[in-house]
Each structure stands twice: as C-alpha cells, then as structure tokens.
Amino acid sequence: MIGKLILTQGGLARELLAAARTISGELAGFEALSLDWSDGFEEAKSKVRSALDHLDQGQGVLVLTDMFGGTPTNVALTFQHPGKVEILTGVNLPMVLRLTCPGIEDTDVTLLARWLLAKGQRSVGLASEMAAPAVPCPEPK
Amino acid sequence: MSGAEVIEEEVEIVNRLGLHARAAAKLVHTAGGFRSRVALAKDGEDIDAKSILGLLLLAAAQGTRLKIRCEGQDEEDAMRAVTALIAGRFGEES
C-alpha cells in the first residue's frame, strides 16, 4: 500500500483528515502532519522524515501539501524521488476522499500522484456549473 | 451464464439529504465490495459508483430517480446491495 501523508502548517492537515474520516470511515495508510508555524526548516524536516519512514511500506508515500512555496511543500520537496515520494500541492477535501475509493492505483506513487492531480483539478469550479460529466466507467477487473 | 449482460434497475433517492458526501461514501464502499462494474445514471450518462467525486457530481437530491447498472460476475449481489442501501436511506433516520 502507498502511504498517504497530508502535510500542512497549522491544524489544516489534521482537520482535513478528520473530515475525510467522518465521511468515509477509518482510513488505513493515512497520516496527517500539522507543522507548527514556529517550526524551523530543520525541525520540520525531521518531523517529515519520521512520518515518511513510518508510512512507507515499500511502495512509497504520496505527500499532499497545502500550498506551493510554503514550508511544508519546500521541506517535502527535499524528499521527492520518482517512484518513492511524490508531492501533490493544493490539497483539498475531494482529493483526500478520492484516495479512499476502491480500485485506485496502489503500486506506483508517481502514477497515483498524476491521477489525483487530474481529479483534484476537476473538483474546483463554479458549483452552479458543475454537473455530472461523462465519466467513463472502468471495465470490470 | 450469469454476468453476461448488464442488469439495470431504477431507484429513487428517498433520504432527506439526498446523495450527500457520507451517503456517497457508503455507496462507494458498498459498490467497491463487488468485482462488477457498478454505474449510476441520472440523465443518460453513466457515473462510476466506485468514485465518490463522480457520485457527488450527480447532485442527486431527495426524489431523484437514478438508473443502476451492474455488469460482471457478481452483478446480482451488487445490485441487491446497492438498491438495499438506497432504499434503506443509507442508514439515516429520514
């Protein structure tokens, strides 16, 4: 299983995961890391390193961060490695929920990141204009 | 042979809140328990019932009629489980 780390400053990561759990139930392989606003770079890096070590079961970790350019993303980028650790920034609740659905890519973290990027982009829009698009259903396995 | 053809049933969303996030998550997990392809259709377009974002985009409020299509070796069990969940108001009180 690919590990999933939600990484932000402040309580955002913790609350995003709490909301996803309220909606979707217990989520295995997920962890939230809320960095303190006062954490320095090295302190943040050490927290991220231990979360990654904890979550990686051999298939890597997908890190979801709040904002490009912020400390969580900058720190996470020092661990980026194709096939091992990928960072997808701009996390929102639909993205976290989409990761809880069955049948998602669970062996290649880079493919999972690219797939979730497309899903996340589709989750943003004017609500008045969002209607069911033609989403082809996957063939049964 | 079972599973050779798509089976289809029409259902009505009867719970007051409609197909909201927690209900959609339950539907995803129910459908995800089967190997068959499970799809919901509101206005002709098939939505994968194993995708929460797709289900939420259906915007199916109380009273909405949906077609459920199941296809695969366990399609009949999948259809029974999904229709029971919807008819049972997703376990909600109203």
Side-chain angles (χ1 to χ4, degrees):
Chain A
M1 188 199 299
I2 294 171
K4 288 103 183 170
L5 177 65
I6 306 173
L7 174 65
T8 70
Q9 278 176 313
L12 185 57
R14 197 167 46 238
E15 291 302 327
L16 264 176
L17 190 54
R21 284 197 163 124
T22 302
I23 293 166
S24 219
E26 192 47 44
L27 307 176
F30 282 75
E31 205 171 294
L33 177 54
S34 288
L35 297 174
D36 289 336
W37 291 101
S38 57
D39 281 347
F41 196 88
E42 288 308 319
E43 201 173 356
K45 201 169 164 178
S46 135
K47 288 180 180 177
V48 172
R49 181 183 293 113
S50 57
L52 291 174
D53 287 347
H54 182 242
L55 277 168
D56 191 1
Q57 298 180 349
Q59 275 146 334
V61 180
L62 176 61
V63 184
L64 303 171
T65 64
D66 47 4
M67 185 166 67
F68 188 79
T71 299
T73 311
N74 292 344
V75 167
L77 275 171
T78 65
F79 296 98
Q80 194 268 341
H81 192 277
K84 201 71 189 157
V85 175
E86 287 292 356
I87 300 104
L88 188 52
T89 192
V91 63
N92 63 22
L93 184 58
M95 287 160 70
V96 180
L97 286 176
R98 195 62 187 84
L99 282 175
T100 71
C101 294
I104 64 165
E105 163 67 43
D106 213 20
T107 50
D108 185 320
V109 67
T110 303
L111 288 180
L112 177 64
R114 291 201 171 280
W115 172 84
L116 191 60
L117 167 64
K119 298 289 177 190
Q121 286 172 334
R122 277 231 317 271
S123 73
V124 179
L126 286 179
S128 59
E129 294 175 356
M130 289 173 84
V135 180
C137 295
E139 290 302 311
K141 284 179 189 146
Chain B
M1 187 187 111
S2 173
E5 287 180 12
V6 184
I7 56 172
E8 185 177 296
E9 272 189 43
E10 192 171 275
V11 294
E12 183 178 336
I13 298 294
V14 287
N15 61 311
R16 192 169 54 81
L17 294 173
L19 192 51
H20 64 110
R22 273 165 295 154
K26 284 184 183 174
L27 184 49
V28 163
H29 289 290
T30 299
F34 299 94
R35 294 174 66 87
S36 293
R37 169 182 172 273
V38 181
L40 264 62
K42 192 167 91 170
D43 299 310
E45 300 290 359
D46 270 13
I47 295 294
D48 181 6
K50 299 179 186 181
S51 159
I52 191 164
L53 304 188
L55 291 180
L56 292 175
L57 285 171
L58 278 172
Q62 186 180 35
T64 303
R65 298 193 71 80
L66 298 169
K67 282 204 170 67
I68 304 173
R69 296 191 183 101
C70 300
E71 183 182 13
Q73 53 189 242
D74 53 5
E75 60 187 24
E76 286 175 13
D77 291 337
M79 180 65 84
R80 259 193 297 277
V82 169
T83 52
L85 181 71
I86 294 172
R89 302 173 196 273
F90 302 96
E92 293 165 15
E93 285 181 6
S94 62

